């Protein structure tokens, strides 16, 4: 689904006109081409703002990726700014680093990145420590709203026992700097434990892994299959028999196996395990992507419209996860569960009580599962905002145009943007991220 307005305001006379009239000018986002792996990590120089051992450790990591790292603002454009705030113990200490960030923002390249690295505020913290740590939340979200030209602002938040060069801290930093996080804006990735491992090859972190993707025949699910395959995974795609032909096409494209199956069937997980064991001997990643909508105002909603959405979007996942987690030797290196939530499950949406309930239920389930799998695997969710798919193409034109512009990047995301976030959470370098809900919404104005 293309966005004609975005094309218009970025070309020829209509670009000039839009600028003169002060109309929203969504930019072409810096994305990774799913078929290529050599997109530069950062579009230009990287400035690291901060002092002390944590800042030194982060600068060393960035140098290890061959980035052009500067500790003082360089002349000319800057591709990324990393602001290290982990050592701050009171709000007044933030001033100098924030001013250093402010002075370089005008030099941020199109598609540039601002990433803060800070510590999580906890109830045990002294009030001043908690204040500055939580202050980063409002700072970063506000900075993200001031950025233009497809640049984004996000943060990595470290748990008390996590060093800034722990695998998942590094993995999150790399994801947020890269083109893979194009539509992630104004968000924090929380790294709660030092678990995880840097991949041998950052371009193929899922090499040797087996991933199940439900609803893989089209839309976001098909793109998840493509991105996981690009990252090295073997893919088992699941979809309903009615979508069998498109599922076969996608699975042929990624060299995976297609399983025609309704996930609401009582034995759905057993059948998936049987196929995966027979072909690959294991399952490392399960992406619960299949989902449906049956929109109606609650006053007009028929019981079957409520029940169908709840059955597919949450009940099937609950049943399947119990079976996956009980299966002996299924995931020798720990199971990675990633579910599709939605911003409708965070902020609610008129006409979507059933969908909002089911997607908020996914968030509740994810947080509970995180405790259950801790130490052996992870459970996380991705909450997309407005994504250009067949589902959103059905929204009436005017409503669609408005919905697209209601985020800091002033456009809808692409299925690949959601897929990139899922591939990151499924990767070995995300082993310390557990029970999180990562929004891929361009900093949508709804919700947090
Ligand atoms: P879509 O409708 O294009 O694709 C969903 C796929 O799931 C289809 O191939 C469908 O056949 C399959 N499916 C449905 N019921 C199934 C069942 N019982 N068993 C097996 N497969 C089944 O949807 P889209 O847009 O790609 O969304 C994918 C996921 O992302 C869903 O969970 C959706 O709720 C979520 N999402 C989408 C957003 C968007 O803007 N498109 C926003 C937020 C969340």
């Amino acid at each position: 689904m293309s966005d004609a307005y975005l094309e218009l305001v970025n070309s020829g006379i209509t670009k000039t006109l839009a600028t003169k009239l002060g109309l929203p000018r969504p930019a072409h986002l810096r994305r990774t081409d799913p078929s290529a792996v050599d997109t530069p990590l950062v579009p230009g120089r990287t400035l690291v703002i901060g002092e002390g051992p944590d800042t030194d450790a982060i600068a060393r990591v960035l140098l290890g990726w061959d980035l052009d790292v500067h500790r003082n603002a360089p002349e000319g454009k800057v591709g990324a700014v990393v602001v290290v705030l982990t050592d701050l113990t009171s709000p007044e200490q933030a001033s100098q680093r924030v001013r250093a960030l402010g002075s370089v923002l005008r030099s941020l390249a199109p598609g540039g990145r601002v990433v803060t690295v800070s510590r999580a505020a906890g109830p045990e913290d002294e009030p001043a420590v908690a204040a500055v740590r939580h202050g980063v939340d409002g700072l970063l979200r506000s900075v993200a709203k001031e950025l233009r030209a497809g640049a984004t602002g996000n943060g990595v938040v470290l748990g008390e026992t996590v060093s800034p060069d722990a695998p998942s801290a590094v993995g999150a930093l790399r994801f947020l700097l890269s083109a893979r996080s194009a539509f992630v804006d104004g968000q924090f990735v929380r790294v709660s434990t030092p678990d995880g491992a840097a991949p041998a090859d950052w371009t193929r972190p899922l090499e040797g892994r087996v991933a199940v993707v439900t609803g893989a025949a089209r839309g976001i699910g098909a793109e998840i299959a493509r991105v996981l395959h690009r990252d090295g995974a073997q893919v088992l795609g699941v979809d309903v028999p009615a979508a069998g032909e498109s599922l076969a096409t996608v699975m042929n494209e990624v060299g995976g196996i297609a399983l025609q199956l309704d996930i609401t069937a009582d034995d759905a997980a057993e059948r998936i395990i049987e196929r995966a064991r027979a072909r690959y001997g294991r399952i490392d990643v399960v992406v619960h992507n299949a989902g449906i909508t049956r929109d109606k105002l609650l006053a007009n909603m028929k019981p079957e419209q409520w029940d169908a959405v709840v059955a597919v979007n949450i009940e099937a996942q609950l049943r399947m996860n119990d079976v996956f987690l009980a299966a002996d030797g299924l995931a020798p290196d720990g199971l990675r569960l990633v579910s599709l939530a939605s911003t409708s499950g965070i902020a609610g949406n008129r006409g979507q009580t059933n969908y909002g309930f089911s997607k908020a239920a996914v968030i509740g389930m994810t947080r509970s599962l995180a405790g259950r799998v801790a130490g052996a695997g992870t459970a996380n969710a991705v909450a997309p905002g407005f994504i250009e798919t067949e589902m959103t193409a059905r929204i009436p034109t005017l409503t669609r145009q408005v919905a697209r512009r209601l985020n800091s990047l002033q456009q809808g995301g692409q299925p690949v943007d959601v897929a990139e976030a899922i591939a990151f959470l499924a990767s070995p370098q995300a082993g310390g991220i557990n029970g999180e809900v990562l929004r891929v919404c361009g900093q949508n104005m709804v919700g947090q």
Side-chain angles (χ1 to χ4, degrees):
M1 188 67 205
S2 76
D3 181 350
Y5 178 83
L6 187 148
E7 299 304 330
L8 270 178
V9 297
N10 280 296
S11 55
I13 188 156
T14 41
K15 176 178 172 180
T16 320
L17 198 63
T19 313
K20 281 203 174 126
L21 292 174
L23 295 174
R25 289 249 336 262
H28 284 290
L29 301 185
R30 178 167 70 93
R31 286 194 171 89
T32 309
D33 172 355
S35 59
V37 288
D38 54 0
T39 319
L41 184 59
V42 168
R45 304 171 185 88
T46 300
L47 172 65
V48 182
I49 297 173
E51 287 162 24
D54 284 0
T55 310
D56 295 345
I58 287 172
R60 272 196 303 276
V61 166
L62 299 173
L63 282 166
W65 292 335
D66 288 336
L67 295 181
D68 180 8
V69 178
H70 295 252
R71 298 291 294 263
N72 292 300
E75 289 292 316
K77 289 282 178 200
V78 173
V81 187
V82 178
V83 193
V84 185
L85 302 160
T86 47
D87 55 325
L88 303 188
T89 53
S90 69
E92 73 264 17
Q93 292 171 356
S95 167
Q96 197 192 359
R97 287 182 211 177
V98 173
R99 276 187 284 121
L101 170 63
S103 68
V104 80
L105 285 183
R106 284 206 171 80
S107 310
L108 197 64
R113 299 283 186 263
V114 172
V115 181
T116 55
V117 181
S118 58
R119 292 253 170 226
E124 310 293 311
D125 292 334
E126 289 296 321
V129 174
V132 66
R133 288 179 173 181
H134 200 65
V136 177
D137 198 277
L139 163 71
L140 187 271
R141 290 182 204 272
S142 304
V143 167
K145 289 184 176 175
E146 294 180 9
L147 301 178
R148 292 289 174 267
T152 62
N154 293 289
V156 180
V157 178
L158 306 176
E160 213 54 64
T161 61
V162 182
S163 66
D165 52 2
S168 293
V170 168
L173 178 60
R174 188 176 171 108
F175 170 71
L176 294 173
L177 289 173
S178 75
R180 294 175 180 229
S181 62
F183 200 60
V184 179
D185 197 10
Q187 305 305 310
F188 290 92
V189 177
R190 287 176 188 79
V191 182
S192 47
T193 70
D195 296 327
D201 176 354
W202 282 102
T203 65
R204 288 180 70 78
L206 292 171
E207 193 74 64
R209 305 271 153 158
V210 177
V212 173
V213 182
T214 67
R218 67 174 202 193
I220 295 173
E223 209 54 40
I224 295 169
R226 291 187 189 103
V227 171
L228 294 178
H229 167 68
R230 178 205 66 193
D231 281 0
Q234 311 264 26
V235 181
L236 189 159
V238 178
D239 214 301
V240 288
E245 210 171 306
S246 357
L247 180 66
T249 308
V250 176
M251 287 304 114
N252 281 340
E253 196 189 315
V254 302
I257 47 178
L259 178 58
Q260 293 185 15
L261 172 71
D262 185 327
I263 57 160
T264 61
D266 283 344
D267 62 347
E270 285 84 353
R271 288 183 56 195
I272 291 170
I273 292 173
E274 195 181 288
R275 281 299 289 276
R277 283 209 206 262
R279 178 71 176 263
Y280 304 120
R282 60 195 284 165
I283 294 176
D284 302 285
V285 177
V286 177
V287 183
H288 289 293
N289 163 77
I292 60 169
T293 51
R294 296 286 183 271
D295 295 357
K296 273 277 178 245
L297 293 176
L298 183 56
N300 303 329
M301 190 172 297
K302 299 193 178 86
E304 56 271 27
Q305 290 168 325
W306 175 274
D307 292 343
V309 168
V310 173
V312 176
N313 293 6
I314 180 67
E315 281 174 359
Q317 285 192 44
L318 286 166
R319 199 164 39 242
M320 291 164 82
N321 285 336
D322 276 343
V323 180
F324 289 132
L325 291 172
D328 271 346
L330 184 64
D333 300 321
L335 193 60
R336 293 293 167 84
L337 298 168
V338 191
S339 294
L340 268 288
S342 164
T343 47
S344 297
I346 296 171
N349 201 12
R350 187 181 147 86
Q352 289 200 315
T353 46
N354 49 358
Y355 187 75
F357 171 79
S358 71
K359 294 298 186 180
V362 164
I363 295 174
M365 175 197 70
T366 300
R367 292 186 178 140
S368 161
L369 281 172
R372 192 163 148 194
V373 300
T378 62
N380 291 292
V382 168
F386 185 97
I387 305 296
E388 305 281 357
T389 63
E390 288 179 41
M391 193 171 102
T392 47
R394 287 198 296 269
I395 300 173
T397 312
L398 195 61
T399 319
R400 191 168 70 235
Q401 278 300 347
V402 173
R404 272 177 178 148
R405 311 292 159 226
L406 286 178
N407 63 62
S408 295
L409 298 170
Q410 302 175 325
Q411 60 192 287
Q414 296 296 329
V416 69
D417 301 329
V418 181
E420 295 280 16
I422 287 168
F424 165 60
L425 291 171
S427 70
Q429 68 267 26
I433 301 166
N434 193 15
E436 293 301 319
V437 180
L438 178 57
R439 290 177 56 154
V440 181
C441 65
Q443 198 175 24
N444 204 315
M445 304 307 168
V446 298
Q448 306 164 289

